[in-house]
Amino acid sequence: MYGLSREEFRFALLIGSSHFTQHAYYRLLPPLIPVLAVVLAYPLWQLGLLISLYQLSSGIAQAPMGVLADRVDRRYLLPTGLALTGAAYIVFAAAPILGEQIPAATVLGYGFEGDFLIMSLAMMIVGIGLSVVHPAGYPMITDNVSDANKGKLFGIFGASSKLGDAAIPAAIAVLILLFRWEQIILLFGVIGLLYGIGLFLVLGGERYETVPAGQQRTETQAVSSETPRDRRTFLYPMTAVYLFFISSMLTTRGLNSFLPAFLVAVYAYSLQIGGVAVGAESIANVFFAVLLLSGALMQLVLGGMADSHSPRRLIIYCMTLATVGTVALATVDLHPLLLLFVIVILGTGLYGVNPPRDALISDLSPPEYEGRAFGYIFTAAMVTAAPLPTVIGYVLEAVGMREGFLLLAAGPILAALCIALLYSDRIYIEKPDPTVETSD
C-alpha cells in the first residue's frame, strides 16, 4: 500500500471492512444448507430458494440504493444497511419460534410452513441490506482518497470481498462443531447489528467525507452539469461495460457454482495425511479456496497498477489470462502442482480484474451520479446473470464437464472484445482532463 497517507490507509481498512462484511453475509447461509436440510427436513429446492431470494432482492435493490447514495448522507445509509442485515439474520435464527404463530401457505401447489415464510422474508431483507455497500462504498472511495491512489483503494475494497467469501465457510466448519445452526446465525446476526452501529459511530467521529458530491456543488456547477453530454462519454461506454459484466460472469458464475464438481469429476485427487484420508471433495474445495484467495491477492496488486496504467489494458490482460486458464483447465490433464498454477491464473484473471474494472466505471461516472452508476450496473448485471448457473449446469450435464468448461472460455474472450470497443472513438471519448497526460 505504498503511497497511501495514514488517513487514506485508515479509510481503506474501514471501507474494506464493509465489503468484507457484505460478502461474508452473502456466504453465511450456503455452508449451513446440509445441516438445515437434515434438521428442518426441507427439500433442497426450498433451501435453494432462500439463497435465490436474497440474491435477487440484492440485485434489484442496488439501483434504487444508488439513487439514495447520491442524495443521502452515506454515513446514515451504509451502516443502516449492514445493521439491517444483522437484524434480519436474528429474525432468521428465531424463525422456528416465530413461525409457530404464522399459518402455512400454499403457492402453485407447494406448501410452505410458517417458519419458512419467516426465513424467506428475512432473506429478502438481508439482500436489501447488503445492496447498499456497492453504490455507497465506491463513491465514498472517490470522495476520500486522492485520484493518484484511488486504484489502490479499489484493490483493497475488492480484495476484502474475496477474503469475506473465503472466511465464512472456514468459520462455519469450526462453529458447526460447537453450536446449533440457529445459534451460529444468531451470533452472526448480533455481530452484524453491532458492526453497523460501530460503523455509524466511526464515520461520524472521523473526518470522512460522506455527503454526496451532488449535495456539495455550487449553484454554478449545478447549472453547468445540466448541459447535454456526448453519449460517448457515458452511455455508450457504460453499455460496453455492462456487456463486459455479463460476458465475464458466464465464466465466474460457472466456476463459482461448478468448479468443485468439475475437479471431483475430472481429477478426483485425494491423499492421506497421518493416516487420515482426505477425499476428493475436500481437495476440490481447497483448490476453490485458492481461486478466491489468489483473486484477493491480485486485486491488491492490480489496484495499485490501475493508478498508473490504463484500466482498459489491464482488463484485457486479465481476460487473456482467464481465457488461457479456462482452456488449460478444460483440455489438459494437469498434475496437481500445474493444476494449482492454473487455478491461480484463473483467480488472477477473473477476480483480479475488479479494481481496474471499478476504476473504469468511476472514471466514466460524473461525481454527482457515481452512486447510481454503480447501483445501476450491478443491478443490471446481477439480474441478467441470475439464470446463468442453471443454464451452465444444464450444459455441463448435456455435453460433459470438459466440453462444458471449454465453452466457458467464450466468456473472457467476449468480455475482452467488449472492452476493446472502448478504443473506438465511435464508442468512447475520454472526458478532457487538463492536469493529466495519458498515453493510452
Side-chain angles (χ1 to χ4, degrees):
M1 292 300 99
Y2 176 78
L4 292 179
S5 67
R6 178 176 297 182
E7 291 75 16
E8 288 176 330
F9 184 70
R10 289 174 60 191
F11 176 75
L13 295 179
L14 181 66
I15 200 67
S17 73
S18 71
H19 209 192
F20 176 94
T21 302
Q22 181 203 36
H23 277 251
Y25 282 86
Y26 268 141
R27 305 301 180 191
L28 180 56
L29 190 59
L32 291 170
I33 290 296
V35 177
L36 297 177
V38 174
V39 175
L40 301 178
Y42 287 143
L44 285 178
W45 72 265
Q46 280 197 12
L47 296 174
L49 178 61
L50 293 175
I51 297 174
S52 297
L53 284 174
Y54 74 75
Q55 289 181 343
L56 184 62
S57 64
S58 178
I60 293 174
Q62 291 198 50
M65 287 297 178
V67 176
L68 286 176
D70 289 331
R71 297 179 178 178
V72 177
D73 190 333
R74 293 153 192 155
R75 180 199 174 195
Y76 301 105
L77 195 60
L78 182 59
T80 299
L82 295 172
L84 182 65
T85 297
Y89 271 117
I90 293 174
V91 173
F92 188 99
I97 298 174
L98 299 176
E100 295 177 355
Q101 313 301 321
I102 306 296
T106 301
V107 180
L108 300 177
Y110 295 99
F112 298 93
E113 300 295 330
D115 54 351
F116 184 84
L117 297 176
I118 295 292
M119 292 177 180
S120 299
L121 176 61
M123 286 297 96
M124 293 178 67
I125 296 173
V126 165
I128 294 172
L130 295 178
S131 69
V132 72
V133 175
H134 290 150
Y138 284 113
M140 284 180 66
I141 291 174
T142 298
D143 291 344
N144 286 276
V145 299
S146 65
D147 289 342
N149 289 325
K150 189 161 63 171
K152 297 183 181 69
L153 266 290
F154 284 146
I156 295 173
F157 193 63
S160 300
S161 70
K162 293 303 149 199
L163 294 176
D165 287 336
I168 286 300
I172 295 296
V174 175
L175 292 173
I176 201 66
L177 301 175
L178 305 173
F179 303 105
R180 299 192 306 272
W181 70 267
E182 64 271 25
Q183 293 174 324
I184 295 173
I185 292 183
L186 177 62
L187 173 64
F188 279 100
V190 171
I191 291 173
L193 184 60
L194 294 177
Y195 172 81
I197 295 172
L199 181 61
F200 174 79
L201 295 176
V202 172
L203 288 175
E206 300 287 348
R207 294 182 178 179
Y208 297 128
E209 185 58 72
T210 60
V211 178
Q215 306 296 321
Q216 305 171 33
R217 297 179 308 169
T218 64
E219 184 176 347
T220 302
Q221 291 172 317
V223 172
S224 65
S225 69
E226 294 173 359
T227 59
R229 294 189 181 93
D230 191 319
R231 293 182 178 181
R232 294 174 295 172
T233 64
F234 182 75
L235 179 61
Y236 293 166
M238 283 296 285
T239 301
V241 171
Y242 163 72
L243 295 175
F244 161 82
F245 263 87
I246 300 305
S247 300
S248 62
M249 279 183 169
L250 175 66
T251 309
T252 56
R253 291 295 174 93
L255 289 175
N256 286 342
S257 302
F258 300 108
L259 179 62
F262 173 88
L263 295 175
V264 170
V266 174
Y267 291 99
Y269 287 134
S270 60
L271 53 83
Q272 293 271 346
I273 300 178
V276 177
V278 181
E281 293 81 3
S282 297
I283 297 297
N285 279 294
V286 169
F287 280 114
F288 186 49
V290 170
L291 178 78
L292 298 174
L293 292 175
S294 61
L297 177 62
M298 291 310 301
Q299 286 192 55
L300 295 175
V301 175
L302 291 173
M305 293 179 66
D307 289 325
S308 56
H309 295 75
S310 163
R312 289 174 288 178
R313 289 181 182 175
L314 293 176
I315 293 171
I316 291 175
Y317 295 157
C318 285
M319 292 301 98
T320 302
L321 287 177
T323 302
V324 172
T326 306
V327 171
L329 188 67
T331 61
V332 181
D333 289 324
L334 298 168
H335 181 276
L337 291 179
L338 285 177
L339 178 59
L340 183 67
F341 177 75
V342 168
I343 293 296
V344 171
I345 292 297
L346 278 171
T348 298
L350 290 173
Y351 299 112
V353 74
N354 290 357
R357 177 204 69 189
D358 298 337
L360 178 60
I361 296 173
S362 180
D363 290 344
L364 292 173
S365 305
E368 64 271 25
Y369 297 128
E370 188 169 355
R372 70 190 69 182
F374 276 101
Y376 288 159
I377 198 72
F378 275 99
T379 286
M382 292 178 68
V383 171
T384 307
L388 284 178
T390 302
V391 174
I392 293 169
Y394 176 82
V395 171
L396 293 176
E397 287 186 346
V399 305
M401 281 291 186
R402 281 194 181 274
E403 293 80 3
F405 264 64
L406 184 59
L407 293 175
L408 293 182
I413 294 173
L414 294 174
L417 292 175
C418 292
I419 298 303
L421 291 174
L422 299 181
Y423 284 96
S424 169
D425 57 12
R426 295 183 178 182
I427 303 297
Y428 176 45
I429 56 171
E430 295 186 71
K431 291 175 288 188
D433 186 348
T435 66
V436 177
E437 295 183 3
T438 61
S439 59
D440 184 24

